[in-house]
Every structure is written in C-alpha cells, then in structure tokens.
Amino acid sequence: VRLDAPGETKPPPKAMLDRLAASIVYEDRLLLALNKPSGIAVHGGSGVSFGVIEGLRALRPDESFELVHRLDRDTSGVLIVAKKRSALLELQALLREGEDDEAPNKKYLTLLVGKMPSGTMTVEAPLQKSVLQGGERMVRVDQGGKPSVSHFSLIERRGGHSFCEVRIETGRTHQIRVHLSWLKHAIVGDTLYGPSQPRLPITRQFLHAHKLRIRLPQRGREVEFVAPLPTDLQELVDSLAELHQ
C-alpha cells in the first residue's frame, strides 16, 4: 500500500524524465533495463526528492515499477526494474538479492589510484555497515561483518592509475569501494573512502556497472545487458592514455 504525503506533490523535473526515457536499453512486458545516468538516485529519500522509480512512475502512471536491485547515486550503468510482482520476486531470487543494496554477479569498470598488479586479485573481507549521524551510510572491513567477495582484474595501467574490471559475488553496501580502499587503491573520485588522492578532471566516483547477465523471467533464456562507458569516464581514460605515452 502506498500513501501520498499530505499536500501537493511536485512531479519530477522534465529534464530528468527525458534522461530516464533515453536511458532504457531493453524492455519487455515483465522488466526493463536502464543505463542509469550518474547523479540520479534509484529512489527518493534522504534529501533526494526523486529517483529512477519516481521518474518511471511519472513517465508511465498506468504501469507498475519496482527496483530489482540498487546502485549508488554516483554510479552509472545497468539497472533492472521489474514491471510485475512475479518478475520482481523471480529476478531477486536469481540475483540472490536480499537486504543488501547492490546486485551480485555484475561486472563493473573502474579507475583506481595507483598501480594494481597484473591478473586478477580476489578480496574476501567481511563488511560491517553503520549509519553516521545525519543518515549517511559508512562501511568498513570488520571480522564481525558479513562475508563479502570481490574480484579485481587489471585491464591496463594509465598515467599512474589502474583501469580495471570488477566482478562481485556478494552485493554488500559499498562493497567495491570499501574493498578497494582497504587495498589502498581507492576509486578515483570517491571522496568518502578515498579522500586523499591525485586531482583529476572528474566530478564523481569512477564506477560504472558495465554488464549484467540474467535469465529472463518465465522464459529461461539468458541475456546480457551491456552499458557502454559514459562519455565523461571514457574521456578521462583517454586523457590518461595520452599522459602514459
């Protein structure tokens, strides 16, 4: 049951709705996949009036939309939204999604501070979540936390930084960011877990949900959704390649 807050509710801004409409990369009768733009939260709350869900409901008031999983507001990339309750439950089970925020079995692209070793590095470090005064979530590596597994694969080193692909087996809050900070290779632009780092021309954290493979509900056919690296992130990688030369 959803109850509207008392008083007049303002609709999401048209510019945001236009961005969301343009970001849909796949849709059928049960779900849609977005290449979520950075800067848009997945839902309203904590000082944010509108998110992806509120935007989709404003775009199509006669349809139902529910989040299958979440992404940080700053993080761009593949986001799955269910259009029917049956699809929501099936997709969440497939993604092993529970109380945590980000879906596992997803691949990300990220740019890290420093030089990561070649090959793939696996981090198995339990994570403990807490809420700071003011409502901000903070996560740390703690033996009393929940089991968390991330795999970091070096793609190439550029200008003293490392461009990597990440695969997560668990979907803990801020998992990738905290594991990388623990490794002393914070994500470029991450001011929460990597505040002391070289300045680069970027206004957000360099983390992009690049690929997600799922089995389509009620069909059994696997598909892989791919979200290309956004222009701002690609331009930064290209500029570092020039420095590397």
Side-chain angles (χ1 to χ4, degrees):
V1 176
R2 296 194 191 91
L3 297 178
D4 292 331
E8 184 179 353
T9 302
K10 294 182 179 179
K14 184 178 183 302
M16 173 188 164
L17 299 184
D18 291 342
R19 289 182 74 192
L20 285 179
S23 71
I24 297 173
V25 297
Y26 173 86
E27 183 174 7
D28 60 26
R29 65 183 182 85
L30 297 176
L31 64 86
L32 59 80
L34 303 169
N35 183 359
K36 186 188 84 66
S38 174
I40 299 180
V42 293
H43 58 74
S46 300
V48 178
S49 299
F50 310 108
V52 170
I53 284 298
E54 290 82 7
L56 289 174
R57 290 169 182 163
L59 276 171
R60 304 180 188 177
D62 296 330
E63 295 186 47
S64 173
F65 297 101
E66 298 290 346
L67 286 170
V68 175
H69 59 105
R70 292 169 173 81
L71 289 176
D72 284 348
R73 182 178 181 180
D74 256 7
T75 304
S76 53
V78 179
L79 181 71
I80 307 297
V81 177
K83 298 168 67 175
K84 292 186 179 296
R85 179 70 178 173
S86 59
L88 173 68
L89 296 176
E90 185 175 343
L91 287 166
Q92 287 183 333
L94 288 171
L95 293 171
R96 301 202 307 273
E97 178 72 3
E99 63 185 34
D100 298 305
D101 285 338
E102 300 200 12
N105 300 318
K106 186 187 299 177
K107 293 182 178 179
Y108 293 76
L109 295 174
T110 187
L111 185 68
L112 310 179
V113 175
K115 297 180 179 180
M116 285 281 282
S118 300
T120 298
M121 176 182 293
T122 296
V123 175
E124 298 185 45
L127 297 178
Q128 182 72 48
K129 180 170 61 173
S130 58
V131 179
L132 302 178
Q133 188 173 5
E136 185 175 27
R137 296 171 301 172
M138 191 75 180
V139 182
R140 68 183 187 278
V141 172
D142 189 294
Q143 291 307 308
K146 295 181 179 180
S148 307
V149 183
S150 305
H151 306 280
F152 304 100
S153 301
L154 179 69
I155 297 173
E156 59 183 327
R157 299 187 188 96
R158 293 189 172 189
H161 295 76
S162 300
F163 186 43
C164 298
E165 182 180 73
V166 185
R167 182 174 64 85
I168 54 174
E169 290 188 24
T170 50
R172 310 303 181 200
T173 303
H174 296 177
Q175 175 176 320
I176 296 172
R177 300 165 66 188
V178 178
H179 277 174
L180 286 168
S181 178
W182 186 66
L183 287 175
K184 309 300 182 186
H185 290 286
I187 296 173
V188 167
D190 188 347
T191 57
L192 182 60
Y193 296 106
S196 300
Q197 55 179 269
R199 288 191 175 184
L200 290 174
I202 187 172
T203 58
R204 58 149 168 143
Q205 64 188 17
F206 195 124
L207 186 60
H208 178 68
H210 179 48
K211 294 180 180 180
L212 175 61
R213 177 176 289 275
I214 62 167
R215 189 170 69 247
L216 290 175
Q218 303 178 21
R219 295 185 185 182
R221 178 169 61 90
E222 280 203 349
V223 297
E224 184 173 68
F225 301 118
V226 179
L229 203 61
T231 302
D232 61 332
L233 302 187
Q234 186 63 59
E235 288 178 348
L236 179 57
V237 171
D238 293 342
S239 69
L240 289 176
E242 294 172 5
L243 289 175
H244 188 64
Q245 294 173 358

